[in-house]
Amino acid sequence: WTPAGDGDYQDIRYETSGEPHAGIAKITINRPEVRNAFRPQTLMEISNALEHAREDTSVGVVILTGEGPLAFCSGGDQRVRGDTGYLTEPGKPAAIGRFHVTDLQIQIKRLPKPVVAMVAGYAIGGGHVLHLVCDLTIAADNARFGQTGPKVGSWDGGFGASLLRDLVGPKKAKEFWLLCRQYDAQQALDMGLVNTVVPLDRLEEETVQWCDEMLALSPFALRLVKSSFNAHEDGYSGIQQLAHDTNLLFYASEEAQEGREAYKAKRAPDFSRFPRRP
Ligand code: 2NE
């Protein structure tokens, strides 16, 4: 793994893979002293790294993970939780809170490349929702999953409810939120919450193998697969994404180019040579 991106991250590491596994970007939440809880800075850095991964045409798949074997992510850092959201400058009396994680969840879902959650240890609270919004989850056998919101006076009624419900069904999803229990890796696999469970010492090897398999496939087909799922889940915004993804392909056609060339040449477009497909 080679450091990449802006390079001056405080809360994360952003790295890209080399041969023979080139094409993978890895974002690691690096706050193991708080079980990789996120503060606004963490989320802004992940967002920045995702933007790098998106723009980097050598990257085909992104891994999101947490530093160390104890936690993927334990959600919002409760030490910087203010009365109006999470604070960027917790010491300041006039600090205004926000939920930066909302934008990040959407960014992960919209990223036109697969994002794989590589989970060792706890994926809890907002950290659990982060794995939900990833496209795939590879869990180590020590992984533990759960929501804690109602214990700490919070909840995520967006993706934390809807995606969880899609994955495990409404009764089980409500159990997560109404009881705040934790579930081990095997239970998570049995309920369809994760894609596979592997021994902790094989977690990265297995995740990289899954990434390599995706990297061998058509990148544009993967992009459309991802946006097809969003079209179903995200209403008009999801349809918009899929529509513009297909527009990318249409722009490459002579038919679309005839419209552009005619406009630039200030002449009427001639679409007569293009078939009206059955
Ligand atoms: C994750 C869990 C289950 C781990 O337990 P354990 O026993 O392995 O570790 P421990 O001792 O609890 O934690 C180690 C250190 O990390 C800190 C702890 O306070 C402790 O610090 P020290 O005592 O060593 O100083 N730590 C862990 N999680 C933290 C957190 N989220 N914020 C700040 N410090 C944290 C266990 O630690 C746990 O249950 N953690 C809390 C999980 C939680 O409730 N997260 C917030 C949910 S709300 C949320 O994420 C959210 C939302 O609902 C809506 C929008 C945005 C965010």
Side-chain angles (χ1 to χ4, degrees):
W1 297 105
T2 307
D6 286 348
D8 56 352
Y9 301 116
Q10 296 171 42
D11 288 11
I12 68 161
R13 285 197 312 276
Y14 176 63
E15 298 157 301
T16 49
S17 59
E19 295 296 346
H21 302 289
I24 308 171
K26 183 168 73 163
I27 300 170
T28 307
I29 304 173
N30 190 18
R31 308 184 79 218
E33 67 285 359
V34 285
R35 301 292 186 263
N36 297 318
F38 54 74
R39 55 177 180 164
Q41 173 77 22
T42 323
L43 300 170
M44 289 188 277
E45 290 182 6
I46 297 173
S47 176
N48 176 285
L50 285 172
E51 202 48 40
H52 275 282
R54 178 178 183 157
E55 295 298 327
D56 184 344
T57 52
S58 71
V59 168
V61 184
V62 180
I63 296 173
L64 179 63
T65 192
E67 174 60 26
L70 298 181
F72 169 73
C73 176
S74 63
D77 187 330
Q78 298 304 294
R79 299 169 307 173
V80 298
R81 174 174 156 182
D83 297 342
T84 58
Y86 291 82
L87 307 173
T88 40
E89 297 176 294
K92 292 210 172 148
I96 296 173
R98 265 181 63 189
F99 287 106
H100 293 77
V101 80
T102 317
D103 295 335
L104 184 72
Q105 291 164 346
I106 292 169
Q107 189 181 2
I108 292 172
K109 277 181 68 67
R110 294 271 167 83
L111 198 91
K113 301 174 182 182
V115 182
V116 183
M118 182 168 82
V119 177
Y122 292 103
I124 292 283
H128 186 254
V129 181
L130 276 187
H131 106 86
L132 289 177
V133 297
C134 291
D135 300 298
L136 300 172
T137 298
I138 313 294
D141 52 9
N142 76 335
R144 292 188 73 80
F145 300 86
Q147 299 295 161
T148 62
K151 256 193 209 171
V152 295
S154 182
W155 77 92
D156 182 336
F159 295 129
S162 58
L163 288 184
L164 187 59
R165 178 195 172 111
D166 285 352
L167 287 171
V168 304
K171 293 277 186 194
K172 201 72 188 175
K174 286 180 188 171
E175 181 186 308
F176 264 73
W177 280 102
L178 295 175
L179 279 78
C180 295
R181 289 182 182 167
Q182 291 178 4
Y183 304 88
D184 66 26
Q186 189 56 48
Q187 288 172 302
L189 184 64
D190 293 343
M191 67 176 101
L193 192 61
V194 303
N195 295 90
T196 191
V197 176
V198 294
L200 176 61
D201 62 4
R202 285 201 41 242
L203 179 62
E204 184 158 293
E205 186 189 332
E206 182 76 13
T207 307
V208 166
Q209 189 192 315
W210 283 55
C211 292
D212 282 346
E213 282 184 41
M214 287 186 278
L215 288 165
L217 303 174
S218 154
F220 210 91
L222 294 187
R223 179 189 183 109
L224 291 176
V225 165
K226 182 162 175 173
S227 53
S228 302
F229 279 93
N230 283 339
H232 162 66
E233 292 167 4
D234 293 353
Y236 284 159
S237 323
I239 293 167
Q240 172 70 346
Q241 189 181 345
L242 181 61
H244 268 166
D245 277 356
T246 52
N247 215 4
L248 286 175
L249 293 177
F250 183 56
Y251 267 33
S253 72
E254 286 183 28
E255 184 175 338
Q257 288 162 14
E258 167 59 15
R260 178 191 66 199
E261 294 308 311
Y263 179 82
K264 288 197 300 187
K266 299 188 188 304
R267 61 170 171 81
D270 175 10
F271 292 116
S272 61
R273 68 183 188 280
F274 302 109
R276 294 195 165 82
R277 291 170 192 257

